[in-house]
Amino acid sequence: MSDNFYRSKEFKEMLQQYEAVRSKGSFPFMDADDLTDIAEYYFYHGRTQESLETIDKTIDMFPGSLHPLAFRARYAILVNGNAQEAFAYAHQINDKGDLDYFYTIAEILIADGKVTEAEKYLEEKEAEVDEDDLEDYYLDVATLFADYSCIKQTKYWLSKSSDTDSRDYKELQGRIAMEQGDFRRSEHIFNHLIDEDPYANGYWNQLASLQFAQHHLQASIESSDFSLAIDPDDFDAVLNKANGLVQLGNYDEALKYYQRFKTLQPQNEAGDMGMATVYMAQNDRKKAIEALSKAEQLCPPQSINRIEILRQKFNLLSSEGKYAEALQCLEKIKANQGATQAELDVMRGFLFLKQNQVSVAMRCFGQAQSSAGDNLDQVTMLVAYAAYECGYIRYAREQYLKIVGHVDKGSWSGGWAFITLCDHELGDRQAFLADLKRTVELDPEAATSFLATMFPQELSAADYYAYALQHPRMGAVPYEELKD
């Protein structure tokens, strides 16, 4: 349901009528679809308990009704991660020839990781769709796959549509372009859509996300502000702005927006994850761990955020010397199949190295690299980062030098920037200057990401080398006593 609908006079009057009756201890007799809209509104605004009370009462009043049961099925799979429960609700739907029933079954399959089964199911159901509904079916199915970043399937179903002038079609084109990294085309599409409908929050939010992905942070924040001017409670815009602010280093303001997002979406883990990012940047590890623990509690079992939360907790707990708790995180990552065996070995090595058990850590790193197979470069990079975080800078540099030629030509970048950082901390000025020159020429963005704290804020990466030449202590004095 569009958030524009929730701002409409029609919906506001319906909600007011509903809440007036509920305030008197009764439940209003309203249309099942209207009650479902209200339950979705509550869920959309983080009022989960009210949402479930409304939808469960609606299901009792209208057994077999499509939209209440479809909502409950989606809640079961997306929030509880329970496909069996989701199918149990879906199978209670009486009208199994409705398009929304098809979409509900397909979404359960996709959310349960069974994308191929969902494809096959939707292709079979296409034969049952009335000819007049086929265009809607193609666009709806394409949108469903796009929502789960299944771009191959999105492109396939979009190619079936001939409604190329519709906004839904164009929006999907923009989303596909963004997923494929064609940011210029995607931005052109969303700017065109905004010209057609400047009050559509969704377009502004998509544009903000697109600009953020390109590190155009100020532009992303401005797009979020346009969205917030339309609807101050648009939580996507609030989150986008918070993410932009934190990347700009405006931590106090970012924290305010993450807290605002949490007020709007108290059951969404993204607010606590963002707050943890701020606390980590402010070196307040205790608060960061607390925020990540809250995020873990809120995070649905199948969310892609769960592994990221556990990884961050693992690193923070390790840094705080809470090794038993860090090991528990590691076991959760393993149980959730969130890492390969090689990655788990690197993390174990990191944990041992934190405890100065060097020989055991090196065995773990060796096992990781031996079992890495085609992922050897990536695993070696992880070993280098782990060693760096533990203060073993020379070893980290040696590991990265083995792969830097592959890394900077492949899907990862920043290899020479990382090596330059190691040079600086080792006090090897000759290597520092040579590698800094190479870094700013090959990858100025990585130079900014890795090395910006060494240089005046107003300096661009292109000027780093000249600045370093003029400051003879740069790269010549180790930061601290290092373990070698």
Side-chain angles (χ1 to χ4, degrees), residues 72-73 75-77 80-90 92 108:
R72 204 62 169 87
Y75 183 92
I77 186 63
N80 296 336
N82 190 328
Q84 185 176 357
E85 179 187 6
F87 279 123
Y89 279 113
Q92 294 178 46
I108 296 170

Side-chain angles (χ1 to χ4, degrees), residues 193-223:
L193 287 168
I194 287 169
D195 288 341
E196 290 185 355
D197 186 0
Y199 294 100
N201 290 57
Y203 299 154
W204 284 111
N205 293 337
Q206 290 277 8
L207 183 61
S209 296
L210 175 64
Q211 291 162 333
F212 181 86
Q214 299 174 86
H215 209 68
H216 300 160
L217 301 177
Q218 198 57 53
S220 176
I221 290 170
E222 289 171 3
S223 294

Side-chain angles (χ1 to χ4, degrees), residues 296-326:
E296 183 185 354
Q297 292 172 1
L298 293 172
C299 190
Q302 294 178 315
S303 171
I304 59 173
N305 287 334
R306 174 168 288 277
I307 299 303
E308 179 60 24
I309 292 166
L310 290 171
R311 285 177 180 272
Q312 289 186 20
K313 272 189 74 176
F314 170 81
N315 291 330
L316 286 169
L317 289 166
S318 301
S319 299
E320 287 289 282
K322 297 181 178 180
Y323 302 123
E325 293 177 57

Side-chain angles (χ1 to χ4, degrees), residues 43 247 440:
F43 183 76
Q247 287 296 311
V440 296

Side-chain angles (χ1 to χ4, degrees), residues 14-285:
M14 183 172 69
L15 179 63
Q16 187 177 27
Q17 176 189 350
Y18 172 84
E19 292 185 337
V21 175
R22 292 290 286 139
S23 68
K24 297 176 183 177
S26 301
F27 195 90
F29 188 82
M30 298 170 66
D31 182 81
D33 289 349
D34 290 342
L35 290 168
T36 303
D37 289 341
I38 291 169
E40 289 180 345
Y41 169 83
Y42 285 147
F43 183 76
Y44 182 83
H45 287 85
R47 297 162 65 176
T48 306
Q49 189 58 39
E50 292 168 278
S51 174
L52 292 179
E53 288 174 358
T54 301
I55 206 67
D56 287 343
K57 183 65 175 176
T58 304
I59 291 171
D60 289 341
M61 292 171 60
F62 301 95
S65 184
L66 171 64
H67 293 120
L69 287 164
F71 174 89
R72 204 62 169 87
R74 292 184 74 251
Y75 183 92
I77 186 63
L78 298 179
V79 178
N80 296 336
N82 190 328
Q84 185 176 357
E85 179 187 6
F87 279 123
Y89 279 113
H91 291 157
Q92 294 178 46
I93 294 171
N94 288 335
D95 188 356
K96 292 182 171 58
D98 193 286
L99 297 186
D100 283 335
Y101 175 79
F102 300 163
Y103 305 151
T104 300
I105 297 297
E107 184 165 11
I108 296 170
L109 290 169
I110 296 169
D112 197 35
K114 299 174 180 175
V115 176
T116 302
E117 288 184 36
E119 285 184 272
K120 183 178 178 182
Y121 172 80
L122 290 165
E123 285 171 356
E124 290 173 352
K125 291 301 177 182
E126 182 180 354
E128 300 178 25
V129 178
D130 290 340
E131 187 174 348
D132 291 343
D133 294 328
L134 274 174
E135 279 296 337
D136 288 340
Y137 186 72
Y138 296 148
L139 290 173
D140 288 343
V141 171
T143 300
L144 176 59
F145 280 116
D147 288 343
Y148 287 88
S149 298
C150 300
I151 298 306
K152 174 186 172 185
Q153 292 79 6
T154 303
K155 290 175 69 176
Y156 171 75
W157 285 94
L158 189 62
S159 69
K160 288 174 170 281
S161 173
S162 58
D163 193 10
T164 56
D165 290 329
S166 73
R167 289 178 186 168
D168 288 342
Y169 186 98
K170 293 174 183 176
E171 180 180 354
L172 284 166
Q173 284 186 312
R175 293 173 68 178
I176 290 169
M178 181 177 177
E179 287 283 347
Q180 293 181 325
D182 191 348
F183 297 133
R184 181 177 296 182
R185 181 166 185 263
S186 183
E187 191 163 353
H188 174 77
I189 291 170
F190 282 110
N191 276 318
H192 178 73
L193 287 168
I194 287 169
D195 288 341
E196 290 185 355
D197 186 0
Y199 294 100
N201 290 57
Y203 299 154
W204 284 111
N205 293 337
Q206 290 277 8
L207 183 61
S209 296
L210 175 64
Q211 291 162 333
F212 181 86
Q214 299 174 86
H215 209 68
H216 300 160
L217 301 177
Q218 198 57 53
S220 176
I221 290 170
E222 289 171 3
S223 294
S224 298
D225 282 335
F226 276 113
S227 183
L228 290 169
I230 299 166
D231 180 5
D233 292 334
D234 187 308
F235 59 80
D236 285 326
V238 171
L239 184 61
N240 283 337
K241 183 166 183 176
N243 291 337
L245 289 166
V246 82
Q247 287 296 311
L248 286 175
N250 193 343
Y251 300 126
D252 291 340
E253 196 67 13
L255 186 60
K256 291 178 185 176
Y257 275 88
Y258 284 127
Q259 289 169 335
R260 182 171 163 188
F261 176 85
K262 189 167 172 59
T263 299
L264 293 169
Q265 288 284 291
Q267 300 302 313
N268 191 320
E269 72 275 9
D272 289 298
M273 290 180 71
M275 291 166 68
T277 301
V278 172
Y279 294 138
M280 283 188 280
Q282 295 174 331
N283 204 29
D284 191 338
R285 292 173 178 169

